[in-house]
């Protein structure tokens, strides 16, 4: 059993969510001896491990059970059914940034009011708002009609669902939608039974003879091999020791699946008869579910029903798409990746992500150049430069460093826009995700562009202030070099690996812009002190200390994300920067903030290289 989820925006754009590097979440749940629950691939891995616990491969089938026991663990069907939904709720929260307005859950047509009510309760426990329950065949029929299938009002359609179980339904189209007329099902006759049959054929043993843990290992191997055979003629299946690997072919899977397809076809015939109809009276027969992707399945159903069968597009996701009204191509179709929503629906925080550092950078750079207007006819002498031909005025170097850094940061925050104009998979393996290639290329372009802007800052300041180029160029470019290199490496690794974050690029690369404001304001306060206030006075010292404190706050907010960690890191770091602030240490303060920003990007590169779990191969 698997769980699919689709997220639809108000303008009609939709996105299929991915879990554990797959387009669907394996609904299996494992409850450890400590009571901790896990779903998806983690649950299967835990079931195959050595620890004690309870493994439930199909939680929705156990939702009515008041008590579920095993492996020294006792829980309820409601709690187990809520865990996969909790994973979905967490994923949606990360992408949207808050609750969604409308939640619809797809259920089999055979579910009655009690099971539907229990599912709503499970969704509530998972953190989802009030939900509507939609029968799966109704959702499929709605999707097909929206896609152009002709079903007149008063006409009937049959929907055969080859999912985790098998369900055949006849629907009547009324003016306000589809109504279930008859249904026949076998909840144990679908994908899970096929996985178990393949596991027995691979290992030659039944569950009691091989032990629970080994059994689930073999079932997981069989399921994975079955999925690989959809694109490969032959696969080698690794079995738990001491059993040797086994070669599995598509013909073997077909031989195991043929009786299930015949049963599905027979259930469809029975559903049509129960509706007092003949196959010729049906407007259409739709085949959906994961098993519908097999060409032989459609042939068997078509032969037994006695009329043409239409396999719905993306049959695994048709029901959830129909319930969500996700009609048309997804957001990444036809080589176009809408890296940002259309302007009316563009979240303000995404605009601020580019505008805040860009405006702060411009303000700092302009203020940096104002030193010439405040002291006409004088030369600028950068701190630490004792060359005799540069007398008179000391320059607060930290301004140029932070201005250059923020310019680079603004470019990186707009990397998605840059990536949108790049080719999807130029020169890279076809397996590479177009999202990852575009975003990776956008990051590289943004890093180069931002570093060039920093160089222009150095050149422009040198020319405008009539100072030697070398010093200004070194300060502007060296302050931004580590960040540019790390961001470029992140882009290269993402593009080459073809991997995209499950939470979406915008969320994963959402730099804490809140750190930019105190850092920029703090540096501007230092400029005010050194440019407009009398030195060695009480007010000047207060403003100077405040500026140093704010720079430390900005560095701390960039360095760590969780509130608890910020409460630990920000105060001492701000105290240190406030203590060392001085006209001669403005460059050190700029370096501290640059190091914090670079560390934030290093965390992203580290996750991409060594923590694959939150990543997907988003197609």
């Amino acid at each position: 059993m698997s769980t699919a989820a689709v997220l639809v925006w108000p303008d009609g754009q939709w996105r299929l969510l991915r879990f554990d590097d797959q387009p669907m979440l394996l609904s299996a749940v494992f409850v450890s001896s400590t009571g901790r629950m896990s779903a998806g691939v983690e649950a299967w891995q835990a079931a195959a491990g050595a620890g004690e616990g309870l493994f439930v491969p199909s939680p929705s089938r156990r939702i009515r059970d008041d008590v579920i026991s095993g492996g020294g663990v006792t829980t309820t069907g409601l709690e187990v059914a809520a865990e996969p939904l909790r994973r979905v709720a967490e994923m949606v929260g990360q992408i949207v940034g808050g609750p969604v307005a409308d939640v619809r859950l797809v259920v089999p047509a055979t579910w009655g009011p009690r099971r539907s009510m229990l599912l709503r309760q499970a969704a509530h426990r998972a953190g989802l708002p009030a939900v509507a329950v939609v029968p799966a065949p109704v959702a499929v029929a709605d999707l097909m009609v929206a896609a152009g299938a002709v079903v007149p009002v008063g006409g009937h359609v049959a929907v055969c669902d080859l999912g985790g179980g098998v369900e055949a339904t006849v629907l009547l189209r009324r003016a306000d939608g589809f109504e279930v007329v008859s249904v026949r099902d076998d909840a144990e006759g679908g994908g899970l039974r096929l996985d178990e049959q393949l596991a027995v054929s691979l290992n030659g043993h039944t569950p009691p003879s091989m032990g629970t843990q080994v059994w689930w290992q073999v079932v997981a191997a069989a399921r994975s091999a079955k999925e690989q055979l959809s694109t490969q003629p032959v696969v080698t299946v690794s079995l738990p020791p001491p059993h040797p690997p086994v070669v599995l072919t598509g013909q073997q899977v077909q031989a195991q699946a043929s009786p299930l397809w015949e049963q599905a076809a027979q259930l469809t015939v029975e559903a049509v008869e129960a509706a007092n109809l003949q196959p010729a009276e049906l407007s259409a027969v739709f085949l959906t579910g994961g098993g519908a992707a097999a060409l032989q399945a459609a042939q068997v159903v078509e032969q037994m029903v006695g009329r043409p069968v239409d396999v719905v597009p993306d049959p695994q996701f048709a029901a959830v798409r129909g319930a969500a009204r996700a009609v048309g191509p997804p957001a990444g179709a036809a080589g176009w990746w809408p890296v940002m929503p259309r302007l009316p629906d563009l979240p303000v925080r995404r605009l601020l992500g580019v505008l805040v550092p860009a405006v702060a950078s411009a303000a700092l750079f302009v203020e940096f150049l104002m030193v010439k207007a405040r002291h006409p006819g004088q030369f600028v002498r950068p701190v630490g430069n004792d060359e005799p031909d540069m007398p008179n005025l000391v320059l607060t170097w930290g301004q140029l460093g932070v201005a250059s850094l923020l310019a680079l940061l603004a470019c990186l925050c707009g990397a998605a826009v840059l990536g949108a104009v790049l080719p999807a998979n130029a020169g890279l393996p076809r397996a590479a995700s177009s999202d990852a290639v575009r975003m990776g290329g956008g990051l590289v372009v943004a890093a180069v562009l931002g570093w060039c802007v920093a160089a222009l800052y150095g050149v422009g300041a040198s020319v405008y202030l009539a100072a030697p180029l070398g010093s200004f160029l070194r300060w502007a470019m060296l302050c931004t070099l580590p960040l540019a290199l790390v961001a470029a490496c992140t882009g290269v690794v993402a593009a080459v690996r073809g991997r995209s974050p499950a939470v979406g690029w915008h969320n994963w690369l959402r730099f804490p812009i809140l750190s930019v404001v105190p850092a920029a304001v703090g540096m501007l306060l230092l400029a005010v002190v050194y440019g407009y206030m009398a030195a060695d006075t009480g007010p000047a010292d207060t403003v100077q200390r405040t500026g140093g404190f704010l720079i430390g706050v900005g560095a701390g907010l960039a360095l760590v994300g969780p509130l608890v960690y910020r409460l630990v890191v920000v105060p001492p770091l701000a105290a240190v920067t406030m203590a060392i602030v001085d006209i001669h240490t403005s460059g050190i303060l700029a370096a501290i903030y640059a190091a914090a920003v670079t560390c934030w990007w290093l965390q992203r590169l580290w996750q991409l290289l060594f923590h694959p779990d939150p990543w997907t191969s988003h197609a």
Side-chain angles (χ1 to χ4, degrees), residues 368 371-372 375 377-398 461-462 465-468 471-472 475 530 583-584 586:
F368 182 79
V371 66
K372 183 174 182 178
H375 303 279
Q378 296 187 11
F379 293 98
V380 174
R381 177 167 58 90
V383 175
N385 193 327
D386 297 324
E387 297 178 16
D389 60 338
M390 295 186 64
N392 302 7
L393 191 63
V394 175
L395 180 68
T396 54
W397 163 243
S462 172
L465 299 176
S471 297
F472 287 87
W475 282 101
Y530 304 144
I583 190 172
H584 299 286
S586 63

Side-chain angles (χ1 to χ4, degrees), residues 447-482:
V448 174
L449 178 62
W451 204 42
C452 290
V453 173
L456 289 176
Y457 274 13
V459 173
S462 172
V463 172
Y464 186 78
L465 299 176
L469 174 61
S471 297
F472 287 87
L473 201 58
R474 284 196 302 271
W475 282 101
M477 298 187 71
L478 288 178
C479 192
T480 55
L481 179 60

Side-chain angles (χ1 to χ4, degrees), residues 425 427-433 436-438 440-441 444 488-499 608:
N425 285 315
L428 291 170
R430 296 186 66 181
S433 146
V437 173
R438 290 179 186 276
V444 174
C489 288
T490 303
V492 170
V493 173
V496 171
R497 289 196 170 189
R499 299 175 71 83
L608 176 55

Side-chain angles (χ1 to χ4, degrees), residues 9 103 159 208 264 407 556:
W9 278 266
V103 177
V159 179

Side-chain angles (χ1 to χ4, degrees), residues 353-354 404-422 437-455 480-481 483-492 509 601:
V354 178
S404 303
L405 184 75
L406 295 182
L408 172 58
L409 192 58
C411 292
L412 293 176
C413 290
V417 179
L418 297 173
V421 301
L422 299 177
V437 173
R438 290 179 186 276
M439 194 65 204
L443 284 174
V444 174
V445 172
V448 174
L449 178 62
W451 204 42
C452 290
V453 173
T480 55
L481 179 60
L483 175 59
L485 288 177
V486 171
C489 288
T490 303
V492 170
L509 291 177
W601 278 88

Side-chain angles (χ1 to χ4, degrees), residues 93-117:
Q94 290 174 331
I95 295 174
V96 178
V100 293
D102 185 12
V103 177
R104 301 171 189 175
L105 299 179
V106 175
V107 300
T110 53
W111 276 34
R114 181 169 182 265
R115 273 193 286 186
S116 298
M117 178 194 65

Side-chain angles (χ1 to χ4, degrees), residues 91-99 349 507 510:
M91 178 72 71
V92 171
Q94 290 174 331
I95 295 174
V96 178
R349 65 170 179 265
N507 291 279
R510 189 165 60 199

